[in-house]
Amino acid sequence: MNALIRVTGAVQGIGYRPFVAELATKYELKGEVKNLGGIVEIIVLGDEENISSFYGELKKSSPSGSIVINVSLEYLKENEPEGLIGYSGFRIVESSDNFEKSYLPVFPPDIAICDKCLEEMHDEQNRRFGYPLISCASCGPRFSILRKLPYDRKTTTMDVYCLCPECNNEYQKGRRRHAQTISCHSCGPQLIFDAFDSEGKDLSDTAISEGHDLSDTVIIDKAARIIQNGGIIGIKGIGGYQLAADPYNYEAVKKLREIKGREQKPFAVMFSSVSEIKRLCKVSEKEEEFLLSSAKPIVLLDKKNCDFSENVCGNSGQIGAFLPSSGLHVLLTEKTGPLIVTSGNISGEPMIIADDIFRDRFSDKIDGVIWYKRDILRPLDDSVIQMYKDSEGNDEPRFIRRARGYVPLPLFLNNTLYDGILFEAYGADLKNTFSIGYGDRIITSQFLGDMEDYKTVKLQKNELKEFCEIFRVDNLEAKSKLIICDKHPGYHTTELADSAYKAAETVKTRLITIQHHHAHIGSVMAEHGLKNCIGVAFDGTGYGTDKTIWGSEFLVCNEVNFLREGHLKPIRIVGQDEGMKNAAISAVCYLLDSGLEIPRGIMDDSELTLIRAALANNINAYPNSGMGRLFDAVSCILGICSYNSYEGECAVRLQNAAEKYSDMNVFSDNDAIILPIKISDEDNVMDVTDMLKELLSLRDEESRELLAYSFHKAIAEAVKRIAINIRSRHKISDICLSGGVFANRLLLYLCDKMLKEEGFVVYYNRILPTNDGGISAGQVYLANLMIENS
């Protein structure tokens, strides 16, 4: 009996073909397995019962790191396939460039070092003892070194290394069978250490001989000593260059902040083990699961007994903790203990992946760098996850940043995209990602950065081009292309989309613009397969259809467009960029608009005079209904934080203060002060004048923590009241919450709880970031609904 079995999903780069070969041998089947573009194709010959058992096992089991979407079985004619005539066993054959034309292929992300490789690296009797770049069929770099599919050694940046006899033997059998990143002390990339003086001159005596058994140990020891003595070391990680420093050394952390131009934003800390993390942080079962996962993301954890230098996490109540993703990081942290490990770039610029660029940029600022000769093709920063405990007590992961360990895994849709259309979405200017969509999936890029930096604009153009090449979009049966961007006419992404539209030649192309907050809600709808909902999108700013700044939107989203059914009353805020950073400006503008006195200490008299004059003469003053600006204003009014030295700092510290109260009172509703928010019956516009007046009268009499919590509760109550009003008009009970403000877990908890108590079905982002990183996927999903129903 002959059969053809096809497996679709993330089944390349994780040892799937060796897994199939071993399983076929177990069931006494002959045949072959090969990568066919984005799928695995298997031909088997043997007893029908054995083929059936083999097929059944393929459907229920797979190697670690794989994602199997579908396994299909088709029995063939009795005559034996020509390629197998005279062949008695089961073989792995060369990959084919023939690609399926009906869907985008799935490829796994970079995978952190597995337990078996970890054991080998620590085993003195193993030939890979102490080899920092150890990997196997189940772990190691994947997407960061991939040139094109199908995934073979020759299509990665490992192609420059020839296997030694021992690695070549392992490549034929065992757990490294067809492991494309297979290497060792003798034949793979080796560590190199360069030390620098204050002018960037290389101080290395002579290059430590590559391939020598002790060279890696010497390098790790040297780097560890520098860090322990207060120095800063560069590290070539899996997805790009990083900077490492001792979190216990105040001066080292201060120097690191100066180098990166990062004044206050908390640093993430890499630990050697979960037990080490538990010493300083509270770790739930779900948080531990993500810390130990193959992605090894940064997980934001509540502090317990943190004894780091005060300038590591600042005023944050959390630590961004993570475990080593490579053997190099494991060996280094075992020597040093916890390490600040942060992206090797100047804040606001893309992560550096090129050896020469990193050296040019940092050699005069740091004490040395550990690197190796294997090219990284695309920057993949560490992913960041925060666990959210919903109102029913369930821990839910939520992405702050989605990159290494998760990209390029697609979002699989409940409803397929419109047949024959390739979707290309350019996202937002902040926290930019782009997305491509076709068939039943959307592939969203890694976090790229903010487009105000020209380097990020160039990176987005290059990455989109490479994504399209890797995932063979030209091979798809697309009859037309839909390019989607934000409605903001001044966005860099809008300009890029418009340029791509004008340059399109090969297929029929259309350009669609989608409002920013509608796209936020679209990202949630995409995750949950919704076509109609109430959407609540809270963030700092977004270009509205009335050409003003939005950011507190209550939308009714249908299959064609949206209705704006509620928002904060717009107030004029002076200054654009500075107005977003300086919370005192937001506070003064809100108080002046409400006819309230400005308390002493919020702003100098000279600055206040300028703000009054600008408002009176309408100079650089723009209507703004962003919820983020209200959070900034309240944070300043309560004396918690008056300037955003990094994005969202004032709101984060306001949340921290509220959580101190709520932790003590276990989210008690009884003790919170009622802060009135007036909501108009006609258009659901929220007027916070009375609330601000109450906050001013109480700020010297009540604790900041209580007032901060009461503010969060007041906003959640307003969300509930407006949602009830909208439901009564439109008869919709599904409600989606998205936007950067909903990264605030306390606000999300209160909204979730109150809405569910009123019978709403509440949805929010789990797979995509709730901030602007999810915008591009939302753009694809909504554009598809518009096309379907136009």
Side-chain angles (χ1 to χ4, degrees):
M1 181 68 68
N2 308 326
L4 170 66
I5 297 174
R6 307 184 97 188
V7 185
T8 59
V11 287
Q12 293 189 30
I14 42 74
Y16 197 84
R17 287 180 297 168
F19 164 77
V20 169
E22 289 183 15
L23 201 59
T25 302
K26 171 184 171 182
Y27 286 106
E28 300 179 344
L29 301 172
K30 82 170 191 176
E32 64 183 30
V33 58
K34 64 181 177 181
N35 285 332
L36 182 66
I39 68 173
V40 167
E41 184 175 272
I42 308 161
I43 296 176
V44 288
L45 290 75
D47 181 78
E48 183 177 0
E49 184 177 342
N50 286 352
I51 291 175
S52 179
S53 298
F54 171 72
Y55 170 65
E57 193 154 349
L58 286 175
K59 292 182 70 174
K60 67 182 181 181
S61 62
S62 61
S64 173
S66 63
I67 299 175
V68 175
I69 301 170
N70 185 56
V71 183
S72 66
L73 171 66
E74 176 188 353
Y75 284 105
L76 304 174
K77 295 179 180 179
E78 283 300 322
N79 40 316
E80 186 172 319
E82 184 177 340
L84 298 180
I85 295 174
Y87 188 77
S88 59
F90 192 93
R91 63 188 181 186
I92 297 174
V93 299
E94 284 295 312
S95 302
S96 169
D97 280 338
N98 293 325
F99 274 70
E100 279 288 323
K101 298 178 181 293
S102 57
Y103 54 79
L104 291 165
V106 182
F107 187 74
D110 290 0
I111 304 168
I113 184 170
C114 68
D115 291 341
K116 289 182 179 178
C117 282
L118 205 54
E119 288 174 14
E120 289 180 351
M121 190 180 71
H122 286 130
D123 181 1
E124 294 185 13
Q125 305 305 312
N126 193 283
R127 73 185 192 89
R128 289 189 178 84
F129 172 64
Y131 181 52
L133 302 176
I134 189 171
S135 67
C136 69
S138 299
C139 70
R142 297 292 188 268
F143 193 53
S144 59
I145 62 170
L146 179 69
R147 289 196 178 96
K148 65 177 184 177
L149 291 175
Y151 175 71
D152 284 317
R153 194 178 183 92
K154 65 185 178 183
T155 61
T156 73
T157 58
M158 285 295 293
D159 63 341
V160 297
Y161 292 101
C162 296
L163 298 180
C164 67
E166 289 167 294
C167 281
N168 189 60
N169 185 53
E170 289 178 324
Y171 191 76
Q172 311 303 320
K173 61 182 179 180
R175 49 184 285 267
R176 288 191 171 85
R177 187 177 183 183
H178 282 259
Q180 308 306 339
T181 56
I182 186 173
S183 61
C184 68
H185 289 290
S186 300
C187 68
Q190 308 298 312
L191 292 191
I192 305 169
F193 182 80
D194 292 330
F196 306 122
D197 65 13
S198 60
E199 296 180 355
K201 184 179 178 182
D202 193 338
L203 295 177
S204 306
D205 302 324
T206 53
I208 299 172
S209 131
E210 293 188 38
H212 190 277
D213 288 346
L214 296 179
S215 65
D216 294 329
T217 302
V218 171
I219 288 172
I220 297 293
D221 285 346
K222 182 177 284 192
R225 283 197 301 273
I226 291 173
I227 290 170
Q228 290 164 340
N229 289 328
I232 295 172
I233 291 294
I235 302 172
K236 188 174 184 180
I238 292 178
Y241 272 93
Q242 300 167 316
L243 297 169
D246 181 1
Y248 293 99
N249 189 314
Y250 181 90
E251 290 302 321
V253 179
K254 180 182 176 184
K255 182 182 177 184
L256 182 60
R257 290 197 177 280
E258 290 170 354
I259 289 171
K260 283 183 63 72
R262 180 170 169 166
E263 295 179 10
Q264 299 291 334
K265 188 176 181 180
F267 281 121
V269 179
M270 181 181 286
F271 295 79
S272 63
S273 66
V274 171
S275 59
E276 193 176 51
I277 295 174
K278 288 181 176 179
R279 184 176 65 83
L280 303 181
C281 308
K282 300 173 185 176
V283 183
S284 71
E285 185 178 330
K286 197 75 171 179
E287 286 166 338
E288 182 170 351
E289 179 185 323
F290 273 86
L291 286 167
L292 292 169
S293 70
S294 63
K296 294 293 188 293
I298 296 169
V299 181
L300 300 183
L301 303 171
D302 291 331
K303 290 180 182 176
K304 188 169 62 176
N305 300 304
C306 182
D307 54 356
F308 292 149
S309 172
E310 62 184 0
N311 56 349
V312 174
C313 302
N315 295 296
S316 175
Q318 295 187 307
I319 296 175
F322 62 130
L323 293 173
S325 56
S326 74
L328 168 56
H329 293 99
V330 170
L331 293 170
L332 190 58
T333 55
E334 286 176 348
K335 291 282 185 181
T336 63
L339 276 180
I340 294 173
V341 179
T342 185
S343 57
N345 60 342
I346 304 300
S347 289
E349 295 182 1
M351 194 176 191
I352 295 173
I353 59 175
D355 304 327
D356 56 342
I357 293 176
F358 182 81
R359 179 184 288 269
D360 290 346
R361 202 69 194 268
F362 288 101
S363 62
D364 61 341
K365 300 178 179 66
I366 62 177
D367 301 284
V369 59
I370 303 174
W371 62 291
Y372 50 86
K373 295 179 180 178
R374 179 180 67 208
D375 288 344
I376 300 170
L377 296 180
R378 57 195 52 86
L380 287 161
D381 213 334
D382 296 303
S383 294
V384 182
I385 285 175
Q386 182 176 44
M387 212 60 61
Y388 160 68
K389 191 176 290 293
D390 68 16
S391 58
E392 295 163 2
N394 302 310
D395 273 339
E396 298 286 353
R398 308 191 73 226
F399 280 96
I400 305 298
R401 182 169 70 209
R402 186 175 181 269
R404 184 188 56 75
Y406 296 96
V407 173
L409 293 178
L411 170 65
F412 294 102
L413 302 171
N414 292 346
N415 308 295
T416 58
L417 300 171
Y418 197 85
D419 186 40
I421 296 181
L422 172 67
F423 294 81
E424 187 174 280
Y426 282 73
D429 267 22
L430 296 180
K431 296 180 173 60
N432 180 256
T433 66
F434 60 80
S435 290
I436 52 177
Y438 191 80
D440 64 348
R441 63 202 65 168
I442 299 171
I443 300 177
T444 298
S445 75
Q446 71 272 37
F447 164 86
L448 297 174
D450 295 344
M451 301 290 276
E452 63 186 18
D453 188 286
Y454 181 63
K455 294 184 183 71
T456 308
V457 175
K458 287 178 63 179
L459 175 64
Q460 204 240 43
K461 291 172 69 174
N462 182 67
E463 284 297 288
L464 178 55
K465 178 176 178 289
E466 290 199 0
F467 263 62
C468 290
E469 290 172 354
I470 287 171
F471 295 104
R472 301 289 187 99
V473 299
D474 289 341
N475 185 70
L476 299 171
E477 296 174 331
K479 301 178 182 67
S480 63
K481 178 192 282 189
L482 202 60
I483 294 174
I484 315 110
C485 64
D486 197 276
K487 282 188 177 296
H488 198 306
Y491 268 8
H492 295 285
T493 47
T494 304
E495 183 180 347
L496 288 174
D498 187 59
S499 297
Y501 168 65
K502 289 174 180 175
E505 297 176 354
T506 55
V507 293
K508 183 179 178 182
T509 304
R510 291 178 58 188
L511 176 66
I512 288 181
T513 61
I514 292 181
Q515 199 276 327
H516 185 89
H517 302 97
H518 190 202
H520 266 308
I521 302 306
S523 70
V524 185
M525 295 170 71
E527 286 192 38
H528 300 281
L530 301 176
K531 293 191 174 182
N532 299 278
C533 70
I534 299 170
V536 184
F538 286 174
D539 63 6
T541 61
Y543 187 77
T545 55
D546 60 0
K547 300 182 181 181
T548 67
I549 299 171
W550 290 5
S552 56
E553 309 316 306
F554 291 81
L555 310 176
V556 172
C557 302
N558 55 46
E559 295 183 20
V560 178
N561 215 315
F562 70 90
L563 300 172
R564 191 187 192 202
E565 290 286 288
H567 53 87
L568 277 171
K569 185 186 85 171
I571 67 150
R572 288 180 303 142
I573 294 182
V574 174
Q576 296 204 51
D577 292 342
E578 184 60 20
M580 288 191 288
K581 294 177 181 178
N582 191 343
I585 293 177
S586 293
V588 166
C589 289
Y590 257 102
L591 293 173
L592 290 176
D593 184 84
S594 300
L596 299 170
E597 290 295 321
I598 310 299
R600 294 191 64 81
I602 283 186
M603 183 175 283
D604 292 342
D605 289 344
S606 58
E607 292 179 275
L608 183 56
T609 299
L610 290 174
I611 297 293
R612 289 182 186 275
L615 290 170
N617 295 286
N618 203 30
I619 299 172
N620 200 23
Y622 302 95
N624 187 310
S625 57
M627 185 61 73
R629 301 291 75 81
L630 176 60
F631 270 72
D632 285 351
V634 171
S635 185
C636 178
I637 289 168
L638 295 181
I640 293 170
C641 185
S642 61
Y643 195 85
N644 289 302
S645 63
Y646 58 89
E647 186 189 6
E649 180 182 5
C650 293
V652 168
R653 290 179 61 181
L654 181 66
Q655 174 192 339
N656 290 342
E659 287 184 342
K660 284 182 182 177
Y661 174 83
S662 59
D663 280 351
M664 290 184 294
N665 293 272
V666 196
F667 296 113
S668 168
D669 290 336
N670 299 324
D671 298 330
I673 294 169
I674 296 175
L675 299 176
I677 295 178
K678 188 181 296 182
I679 299 172
S680 66
D681 292 332
E682 183 179 343
D683 53 10
N684 290 313
V685 171
M686 294 178 282
D687 186 338
V688 297
T689 299
D690 292 342
M691 180 187 73
L692 295 176
K693 184 176 181 181
E694 190 73 5
L695 283 174
L696 284 177
S697 69
L698 294 172
R699 73 182 199 135
D700 296 324
E701 300 175 16
E702 301 288 353
S703 74
R704 292 175 179 176
E705 289 80 8
L706 171 58
L707 293 175
Y709 175 73
S710 299
F711 167 72
H712 281 76
K713 186 169 181 291
I715 297 298
E717 287 278 4
V719 169
K720 180 188 74 173
R721 288 163 56 195
I722 293 176
I724 291 172
N725 291 347
I726 295 173
R727 180 173 61 184
S728 68
R729 295 179 190 175
H730 295 275
K731 311 304 178 188
I732 301 173
S733 292
D734 289 339
I735 187 165
C736 297
L737 311 177
S738 191
V741 172
F742 279 113
N744 181 322
R745 62 184 180 182
L746 175 59
L747 179 66
L748 181 62
Y749 170 87
L750 292 169
C751 289
D752 183 51
K753 180 175 182 290
M754 292 181 190
L755 290 167
K756 284 178 178 175
E757 287 173 350
E758 295 297 329
F760 287 94
V761 181
V762 183
Y763 300 92
Y764 44 84
N765 295 106
R766 290 180 172 86
I767 298 172
L768 300 165
T770 196
N771 55 41
D772 283 6
I775 287 280
S776 62
Q779 289 173 337
V780 170
Y781 188 78
L782 293 176
N784 180 68
L785 289 182
M786 292 176 188
I787 293 296
E788 278 187 341
N789 295 279
S790 61

